[in-house]
Amino acid sequence: MAEMMYREALNMALREEMQRDPLVFVIGEGIGQRGGSYKVTDRLYEEFGAHRVIDMPISEASFTGAAVGAAIVGARPVVEILFIDFSMLAMDQIVNQAAKYNFMSGGKGHVPMVLRTQGGAGNGLAAQHSQSLEAFFYHIPGLKVVMPSVPYDAKGLLKSSIREDSPVVFIEHKLLYMTKGEVPEEEYLLPLGKADVKRSGNDITVVTYSYMTLKCLEAAEVLEKEGIGVEVVDLRTLTPLDKETILESVRKTGRALVVHEACKRGGVGGDIAAMIMEEAYDDLDGPVQRVAGKNTPIPYNIDLEKVCVPTVEEIAEAIIRMV
Amino acid sequence: MEKELNPGKRGDVELVADDLDEALLLEMFRKAYTIRRFEQRCVELYREGFIRGYFHPYLGEEGVAVGSIAAIGRDDYIVSTHRGHGHCICKGGDLKLMMAEIMGRETGYCNGRGGSMHIANLDDHNLGANGIVGGGIPIATGAALGIKIKKGGEVVLGFFSDGAANNGVFGESLNLAAIFDLPVVFVLENNHYAVSTPVEYSSRVTDLARRADGYGMPGVTVDGNDAVAVYLETKKAVSRARRGKGPTLIEAKTYRHGGHHVNDPGLYMDQAAMARWKSRDPVDLLRKRLNDDAKIREIEEEVESELAEAVEFAKKSPAPSVEEFLASIEDY
């Protein structure tokens, strides 16, 4: 198995799907000859041409809407929105159009599109380029939300997302693009709605996703030395949510901590914590807890930025308090 | 009336109109009459409590849908608006399925999930109505992009209104369509009111077709009450789109016969303008073009009976099963 970067795994997924299906095409800002700001569409323009790797003017609402229209007539667009912050400009098309079309047409119409975007803090990009907005999309019936944490998952999940007949919001994290992992060169698919136990342990379940998975794994490793067994459940997809894997783990460990980078208030974590308490209360040895981002816009200054999102120490401390 | 149009841009419309095939004129009349009666009947059914929610009549604007959709084929696509019944009828919509949908029945086009504002008829390539003003403009553009990806030969008619023309996606989408030469014709139904706001209030330039210049595509203003004029202009734009020459913006000027929706009396509307527009009623204009009273009567009778059948069908149709609906919800 080859070791490659997260962004290379995504690139491979796009290339394989575009080779497999001539109806798959990608659109976005600067994704053509330039290969995208994060190089995810690198060299696709050379291989597939301007007909299928299409640079867009800066107009998120209309090019996202154009993807909806193209998907309705049977093409399979993959839209890149450079920063998740910019997806706010396209919310009508994502929420009112793409998410509702299948339902409103009585199940007759389909929107097989993927909206790839990128979120998270960590590069000093300040308040309008650092948000974690997955809860917006998680809240909307009709959308699937995928947030892989490692290159292997990124490739398998992107390929599955492209083959989905419903709209998928595929959220990457800017700090993950250069992370490395083993990725098979051959074809494989990972199902949406299947969480992955990235590390098993008997004392506590940590439910997390995206970049925070790496932080939770780091915390688990530190705590291992202190004799605490941490099970890290990486959700991989928020919708569909793999409740079974979460509950199975909680039933085994009796404790659950939910960790995400997005603001705590109104975050996905509150929903998952409530779900655990509703469905596995009798198996719990204590209340479900959350470690999440502070309820603030992300500041520019690097020291201030750091304290806004969960750190390995914070996660480890929460676990110690709970076990 | 004439001052409100832009005669200089109408070109040879009047001349060519005389040569129109009679069968086509009859078909246009049939469609216009069907829309008129369907909408009037729906208003009655609304008052009787058979229809709920918002219902936005197309009364008075029939010429736009009739003329423009007559200029495209069955495989070509349309993207409609929240005032979309006329478009749906012209694109081959089945009155029974439409009426059932508007009454929220299981037998309707969308199994009662969509209603008046969301009817889609994918079999006839009607990609659907839209509850968001302007929401369909990027979708029409994207359908044209999809056609290009599929290397298809179809074109798209994207309908929207003067109100939508002030939405950001209007400019964005026209720009996209222009730079990629997409096979889409933007049909701007200028009915003079965005809900209650007059176009003179919301735009300094009231010939909205002039905005096309800024995006590098032809813009033409046409008398929307004259289905034949709309037809001829759309024909040209469709031919251009099919030849890979890119989009056109057609502004069809017309006038609503009443308020924004069935519960809006439209007291803000200019009554003198209303009288002027009504004196050139789109259904009457088509009727006058035909010199065959017998044929006209025959068509009217056929439509009346088809409509009665549709109402009967919808009334007799079952409501959706609540149990089946609940079981079908994908709760993930």
Side-chain angles (χ1 to χ4, degrees), chain B residues 94-115:
Chain B
D94 182 322
L95 298 191
K96 290 204 285 292
L97 304 189
M98 288 180 68
M99 193 59 92
E101 186 57 35
I102 293 168
M103 286 196 202
R105 307 300 164 111
E106 181 65 33
T107 51
Y109 266 119
C110 316
N111 310 115
R113 271 66 159 175

Side-chain angles (χ1 to χ4, degrees), chain A residues 38 120-126 129-130 173-175 177 298 300 302 305:
Chain A
Y38 286 90
N123 275 342
L125 301 181
H129 289 67
S130 302
H173 193 291
K174 55 177 69 65
L175 296 184
Y177 286 122
I298 300 295
Y300 167 67
I302 196 80
E305 182 186 38

Side-chain angles (χ1 to χ4, degrees), chain A residues 23 25 51 54-57 59 61-62 65-66 69-70 72-73 92-93 96-97 101 103-106 108-109 239-240, chain B residues 77 109-111 113-114 118 122 127 130 132 135 138-139 142-143 145-146 148-151 169 172-173 176 179-180 332:
Chain A
L23 295 179
F25 68 105
H51 178 66
I54 312 172
D55 277 332
M56 285 285 150
S59 47
S62 60
I72 289 172
V73 301
D92 169 55
Q93 291 299 324
N96 294 323
Q97 312 296 343
Y101 193 72
F103 181 87
M104 293 191 312
S105 63
K108 294 172 187 82
T239 41
Chain B
Y77 293 92
Y109 266 119
C110 316
N111 310 115
R113 271 66 159 175
H118 303 300
L122 290 140
L127 301 183
N130 211 306
I132 309 292
I139 294 177
L145 178 64
K148 262 197 132 171
I149 295 294
K150 294 166 75 177
K151 302 193 196 301
V169 290
E172 287 189 17
S173 300
L176 275 193
I179 64 172
F180 297 124
Y332 43 71

Side-chain angles (χ1 to χ4, degrees), chain B:
Chain B
M1 172 66 206
E2 288 309 319
K3 266 201 311 201
E4 285 168 308
L5 292 170
N6 189 344
K9 287 196 177 178
R10 292 183 65 193
D12 52 0
V13 161
E14 296 296 341
L15 287 174
V16 187
D18 293 337
D19 299 335
L20 269 194
D21 179 37
E22 204 204 342
L24 179 62
L25 280 175
L26 284 169
E27 190 48 32
M28 281 192 188
F29 173 73
R30 177 189 295 274
K31 287 286 191 323
Y33 187 76
T34 305
I35 301 172
R36 174 62 52 90
R37 291 294 300 127
F38 183 85
E39 298 270 281
Q40 287 173 336
R41 195 75 188 89
C42 281
V43 172
E44 290 163 13
L45 290 162
Y46 191 94
R47 306 268 179 250
E48 292 164 26
F50 285 100
I51 296 173
R52 300 185 62 239
Y54 278 129
F55 185 94
H56 307 87
Y58 197 59
L59 293 166
E61 306 183 30
E62 294 91 340
V64 187
V66 167
S68 58
I69 296 172
I72 58 171
R74 190 167 188 268
D75 287 343
D76 294 315
Y77 293 92
I78 67 161
V79 173
S80 181
T81 68
H82 62 281
R83 203 178 297 288
H85 307 141
H87 309 132
C88 190
I89 287 170
C90 290
K91 199 68 181 77
D94 182 322
L95 298 191
K96 290 204 285 292
L97 304 189
M98 288 180 68
M99 193 59 92
E101 186 57 35
I102 293 168
M103 286 196 202
R105 307 300 164 111
E106 181 65 33
T107 51
Y109 266 119
C110 316
N111 310 115
R113 271 66 159 175
S116 164
M117 278 195 288
H118 303 300
I119 297 178
N121 170 14
L122 290 140
D123 288 341
D124 288 331
H125 285 192
N126 170 3
L127 301 183
N130 211 306
I132 309 292
V133 171
I137 310 177
I139 294 177
T141 307
L145 178 64
I147 289 167
K148 262 197 132 171
I149 295 294
K150 294 166 75 177
K151 302 193 196 301
E154 305 91 353
V155 299
V156 184
L157 294 189
F159 291 95
F160 56 94
S161 63
D162 48 299
N166 289 326
N167 189 310
V169 290
F170 167 81
E172 287 189 17
S173 300
L174 263 65
N175 187 51
L176 275 193
I179 64 172
F180 297 124
D181 292 324
L182 297 180
V184 55
V185 177
F186 297 104
V187 184
L188 194 169
E189 305 185 316
N190 185 347
N191 67 16
H192 290 77
Y193 290 92
V195 186
S196 59
T197 306
V199 67
E200 294 80 11
Y201 175 91
S202 51
S203 176
R204 197 61 88 195
V205 176
T206 54
D207 280 335
L208 297 170
R210 283 174 56 190
R211 294 186 181 182
D213 286 352
Y215 298 102
M217 72 175 74
V220 54
T221 301
V222 64
D223 178 359
N225 277 25
D226 182 354
V228 172
V230 177
Y231 168 78
L232 293 169
E233 285 302 345
T234 312
K235 258 299 200 222
K236 284 190 235 166
V238 166
S239 151
R240 183 183 143 83
R242 248 194 256 289
R243 282 182 285 121
K245 302 291 184 189
T248 300
L249 172 62
I250 295 175
E251 177 197 15
K253 291 205 180 189
T254 184
Y255 211 76
R256 280 188 335 226
H257 279 186
H260 176 59
H261 54 64
V262 70
N263 285 331
D264 171 10
L267 298 176
Y268 48 82
M269 296 177 84
D270 178 341
Q271 289 310 305
M274 176 83 86
R276 271 200 317 278
W277 283 96
K278 277 192 170 176
S279 73
R280 300 185 68 259
D281 182 283
V283 184
D284 289 344
L285 285 188
L286 278 169
R287 201 183 263 117
K288 279 179 202 154
R289 280 192 192 270
L290 295 160
N291 283 320
D292 193 336
D293 288 347
K295 270 268 169 54
I296 289 171
R297 250 198 320 279
E298 190 187 319
I299 289 174
E300 288 179 349
E301 278 165 20
E302 279 168 11
V303 170
E304 292 299 340
S305 112
E306 200 188 332
L307 183 58
E309 207 183 312
V311 175
E312 195 59 19
F313 171 81
K315 282 186 175 173
K316 280 193 177 149
S317 287
S321 149
V322 172
E323 292 73 24
E324 276 173 32
F325 170 68
L326 290 175
S328 76
I329 294 174
E330 279 187 70
D331 180 23
Y332 43 71

